[in-house]
Amino acid sequence: MLLPLLHHLGPRWLFQRARWACERKLGVWEWRSPLRPWKDFAGPGFDPVEWRKSAPRLPIALLDRAYLAPQLEAWSVEAGATPVAEADAFARGYARVFSHQLVEVGRPDRWTRNVLTGRSLDPYRHWSRIDDAGADDIKGVWELSRFSWAYALVRAWLRDGDDRHVELFWSTLEDWMTRNPPNRGPNWMCGQEASFRLIAVTYALQAFRDHPATTDERLTLAARLADATADSIADHLSYALSQQNNHGIAELIGLQTAARFWPSLCGFPHWPEDVWRDLLPEQCDALIGPDGGFSQHSTNYHRLLLQLLTWSELVERSVRDTLPEAVRAKAIAATNFLATLMETDGTVPRYGADDGANLFPLSGCPFEDFRPAVGAALALFKGERLPSGPWDESALLLLGPMAASAAPALRPPADFADAGVFQLRHARGTLFFRAPSEFRTRPSQADQLHVSLRWDGEWIAEDPGTYSYNAPGGWDGFAASRFHNVVTVGDSDSMRRVGRFLWLPWTGCDVRWQFDGVTASHLGFPGYKARRRVVKVANGFVIVDRLTGLLKQDGRFTLRWHGRTREGLEQLTVACSAASTEETATALPDGGEGWHSARYGSKDPSWCRRISATGDDVTFVTALGCSLRLEAKSFFADGEEYPLE
């Protein structure tokens, strides 16, 4: 395992990881970021009276609530969800977690209790002494402290103007700060989580800054949170940057947020103002590819990236500045990438890991609707607008009033070779193909050659989601090859999993465009070559899989198609060149197949078609929307012949 680690991640990465592990075990992290009281932060340098006069204002601080309320309420009616009900539920002790169900969180230990299991972590220990890979999924502890509930309170206040929403925000923040002093307990373990929390508090503070409930004492509390958060992030920023994912970008933007809205605190030795400005372009250049693909190989983390960059640009505009041109160029590329993948209903082909992140829940649209995030990014970075709808609320509450909606230019099917993402589009549907030629950053799932299929407005075959990064019962986040729509060899994966978030070696694909589709192959299954060809035909799509033993040895090959409904999967016609067997599985226990996770932390029974055959050279052909016949060297779609090669 050492040689692949050195090859893909380099000796510097290994040295840093070993150093950090030693520092944590020896207590260096605890010494560097000791337990401290809140009074140690935002001392004489912060004046709440001066802050009211000079602190930058975001668009949300300039909106006329009474003028906007009727339009906001109309969007609530159209979306079928009102934030007033959610705000009232929060007042009764219920919070929406992972953009999904309301969970009772009213007990005193709510900030350290896992919303997924009900178990609590020690609230008194230094964060570096708490294990994030224990029996529970740590994200269940962190979720409430992301402060997503703050956005519901802002939206509710904008609709009805009731003071109770503002008071509830401040009293809840006071409770959190009382129970989570700096560096104590699990909610200080992750700088990215702290950044999300600071962004939410900053946004709510901007919305409520002129409200009587926002007293000088409470402004000082917010300043102390900003100071302690920036201090914590800066102490361990090198660790976040080394991960080569959204952590580094999020934490730099957390520093930017503190520096711009609390400039009187800047200049402290731990977080000079220019740290984020120097490093953010480097991170964006390293992690956003030339075609806009993101290092995390995930559509939901790509949405999070857009939301972070949208916030970052808004923060700069609040001080009459803008992000560096290099960052803006990367933001535009990343926006185009996700806008191209997005369907008219706002859904995207899910691929990669998904922890339920949605930084700005500022509309009544469901979690899987990407139009709120993509629409705001299009408007901010490109001056384009989506057709109007409830998703416009997010752009309005972030960017302020904009010109009337107009559809952006039509986008061609995705051809993002650098990111390994391709699309074929048909009048009735979409074929999404995942075929990365090379991984420059850690792959999150063994999903080479995965295909998702959308037909007549529904995703009938897709990636089943993530569920949990660390749950008992063998659940591994649906990351293995068998949870993707691919052909596997025996029980093998296309890469070997050596950690929760690490696969080795990083198996790339040989990709070739043809006049009617895309062909890709890889050697991830030792001793075998896996080859997949996706073709657009007159009435639909055809997927051709060929598995070959490199030494003419037999193998047991299984083609899987995962979908939420059995009826959807039955629309697929499958033929095989060898004698085959087929079975349909649903809700297999202990981390098995036949599950779908639409939201992180929850799973529902779904379906998996498994077609298996044995041989040294086996071909599977799957068709959607057309009749299919397989012969020795050709397949026939609605009677038209196509060569297999």
Side-chain angles (χ1 to χ4, degrees):
M1 184 176 71
L2 183 59
L3 288 178
L5 274 172
L6 285 169
H7 173 70
H8 292 298
L9 296 169
R12 181 181 177 185
W13 185 91
L14 287 176
F15 172 77
Q16 287 177 324
R17 292 287 158 158
R19 188 191 79 193
W20 289 323
C22 291
E23 287 180 349
R24 184 168 185 168
K25 189 174 184 63
L26 294 173
V28 174
W29 285 8
E30 189 172 0
W31 168 81
R32 187 183 299 155
S33 303
L35 301 177
R36 297 169 65 185
W38 286 109
K39 65 180 179 61
D40 284 2
F41 296 91
F46 179 75
D47 180 354
V49 176
E50 180 61 28
W51 189 91
R52 290 183 191 276
K53 295 177 182 178
S54 60
R57 286 181 177 265
L58 288 173
I60 186 64
L62 303 172
L63 294 178
D64 184 338
R65 190 209 67 76
Y67 177 77
L68 290 176
Q71 176 60 64
L72 297 177
E73 189 57 34
W75 280 331
S76 289
V77 172
E78 187 175 349
T82 173
V84 175
E86 186 166 336
D88 289 341
F90 187 67
R92 298 192 304 271
Y94 291 83
R96 191 173 303 282
V97 297
F98 302 112
S99 303
H100 188 31
Q101 73 269 30
L102 289 171
V103 173
E104 190 277 322
V105 296
R107 288 168 28 187
D109 67 340
R110 58 179 168 176
W111 303 117
T112 54
R113 191 171 80 251
N114 194 314
V115 298
L116 299 175
T117 66
R119 290 192 288 268
S120 291
L121 291 181
D122 188 342
Y124 301 107
R125 300 183 71 189
H126 189 274
W127 63 263
S128 66
R129 299 296 185 184
I130 301 174
D131 184 9
D132 70 346
D136 282 355
D137 186 338
I138 189 64
K139 287 189 175 294
V141 176
W142 291 343
E143 176 65 11
L144 194 60
S145 291
R146 283 187 170 186
F147 281 26
S148 295
W149 46 266
Y151 299 101
L153 297 180
V154 171
R155 294 176 63 222
W157 176 76
L158 288 171
R159 278 159 173 78
D160 64 15
D162 198 306
D163 296 342
R164 72 185 189 276
H165 306 308
V166 187
E167 183 59 37
L168 181 58
F169 165 76
W170 283 114
S171 62
T172 306
L173 176 61
E174 290 166 340
D175 181 68
W176 189 92
M177 293 180 69
T178 298
R179 298 178 186 279
N180 294 272
N183 297 319
R184 196 182 80 182
N187 290 312
W188 290 97
M189 294 171 67
C190 177
Q192 176 176 247
E193 299 296 320
S195 296
F196 293 166
R197 182 164 55 245
L198 179 60
I199 289 170
V201 169
T202 304
Y203 183 83
L205 173 58
Q206 288 284 312
F208 302 145
R209 65 184 290 165
D210 297 324
H211 193 278
T214 304
T215 62
D216 288 354
E217 291 77 12
R218 284 170 165 173
L219 284 179
T220 302
L221 281 181
R224 285 175 172 160
L225 177 70
D227 194 6
T229 299
D231 185 81
S232 177
I233 292 171
D235 277 341
H236 305 281
L237 184 60
S238 61
Y239 180 83
L241 297 177
S242 76
Q243 296 188 59
Q244 294 187 299
N245 59 21
N246 55 288
H247 281 254
I249 290 177
E251 294 184 33
L252 288 171
I253 292 173
L255 288 178
Q256 174 201 13
T257 302
R260 289 309 198 194
F261 291 105
W262 290 272
S264 65
L265 305 179
C266 276
F268 284 21
H270 293 296
W271 53 288
E273 181 182 357
D274 58 357
V275 166
W276 72 267
R277 184 171 280 275
D278 290 343
L279 294 177
L280 186 59
E282 294 180 11
Q283 283 286 288
C284 289
D285 182 62
L287 303 183
I288 303 174
D291 57 14
F294 185 44
S295 68
Q296 289 203 253
H297 314 287
S298 157
T299 41
N300 198 57
Y301 282 130
H302 197 115
R303 171 169 64 179
L304 176 60
L305 168 73
L306 286 192
Q307 292 174 320
L308 285 166
L309 293 177
T310 296
W311 172 261
S312 185
E313 174 69 6
L314 290 174
V315 170
E316 288 306 283
R317 292 192 183 189
S318 74
V319 294
R320 296 178 175 82
D321 202 347
T322 188
L323 288 172
E325 188 57 37
V327 176
R328 287 179 54 82
K330 288 292 189 177
I332 290 171
T335 300
N336 284 332
F337 182 96
L338 206 53
T340 300
L341 290 181
M342 192 172 68
E343 301 289 333
T344 56
D345 63 357
T347 61
V348 298
R350 188 211 308 268
Y351 71 94
D354 177 358
D355 74 346
N358 183 14
L359 186 61
F360 296 120
L362 287 171
S363 77
C365 297
F367 173 74
E368 59 269 19
D369 189 342
F370 278 46
R371 286 173 293 186
V374 173
L378 282 170
L380 182 63
F381 294 116
K382 301 195 67 184
E384 293 183 1
R385 298 295 308 281
L386 296 174
S388 61
W391 46 90
D392 286 330
E393 182 181 356
S394 185
L396 174 63
L397 299 186
L398 286 170
L399 281 60
M402 296 169 291
S405 295
L410 294 176
R411 301 180 186 280
D415 177 10
F416 299 123
D418 185 77
V421 167
F422 306 92
Q423 276 180 332
L424 302 179
R425 288 197 180 273
H426 186 276
R428 294 180 62 185
T430 302
L431 182 151
F432 168 81
F433 189 29
R434 173 84 175 129
S437 298
E438 178 186 10
F439 290 105
R440 290 193 295 273
T441 54
R442 289 181 293 168
S444 62
Q445 299 194 353
D447 63 351
Q448 296 92 330
L449 307 186
H450 169 83
V451 162
S452 289
L453 292 166
R454 180 180 171 89
W455 200 247
D456 292 340
E458 300 289 338
W459 290 100
I460 64 170
E462 58 184 327
D463 182 307
T466 295
Y467 176 47
S468 174
Y469 290 150
N470 187 35
W475 302 97
D476 69 348
F478 297 146
S481 294
R482 64 193 176 100
F483 294 113
H484 295 90
N485 297 324
V486 299
V487 182
T488 59
V489 180
D491 296 325
S492 299
D493 291 314
S494 56
M495 297 178 286
R496 180 186 174 194
R497 193 169 195 168
V498 296
R500 275 190 300 165
F501 305 111
L502 183 60
W503 298 84
L504 291 172
W506 298 353
T507 302
C509 300
D510 178 21
V511 181
R512 291 183 292 114
W513 264 104
Q514 297 173 296
F515 72 95
D516 56 359
V518 188
T519 298
S521 61
H522 69 73
L523 301 174
F525 301 114
Y528 298 90
K529 180 178 182 178
R531 179 178 179 272
R532 169 164 276 183
R533 177 184 173 201
V534 295
V535 182
K536 177 183 174 182
V537 297
N539 295 316
F541 303 112
V542 175
I543 301 96
V544 180
D545 289 291
R546 182 177 180 183
L547 277 292
T548 307
L550 298 179
L551 299 178
K552 299 300 182 182
Q553 75 277 22
D554 281 355
R556 177 71 173 174
F557 309 119
T558 301
L559 168 64
R560 288 176 174 84
W561 289 106
H562 298 269
R564 300 192 200 191
T565 68
R566 186 168 190 164
E567 294 75 16
L569 293 181
E570 287 175 348
Q571 296 183 61
L572 302 177
T573 302
V574 182
C576 185
S577 64
S580 62
T581 60
E582 179 171 342
E583 59 182 343
T584 302
T586 184
L588 298 181
D590 297 328
E593 298 152 38
W595 296 94
H596 181 87
S597 178
R599 304 287 193 282
Y600 191 84
S602 65
K603 63 183 187 299
D604 298 297
S606 63
W607 299 88
C608 176
R609 284 182 66 181
R610 300 189 295 202
I611 302 95
S612 299
T614 301
D616 64 0
D617 192 342
V618 174
T619 298
F620 300 89
V621 182
T622 304
L624 173 63
C626 58
S627 65
L628 175 68
R629 188 173 86 253
L630 175 62
E631 294 189 355
K633 297 183 178 181
S634 305
F635 70 85
F636 293 79
D638 288 336
E640 184 174 353
E641 184 175 9
Y642 297 81
L644 286 174
E645 296 296 333

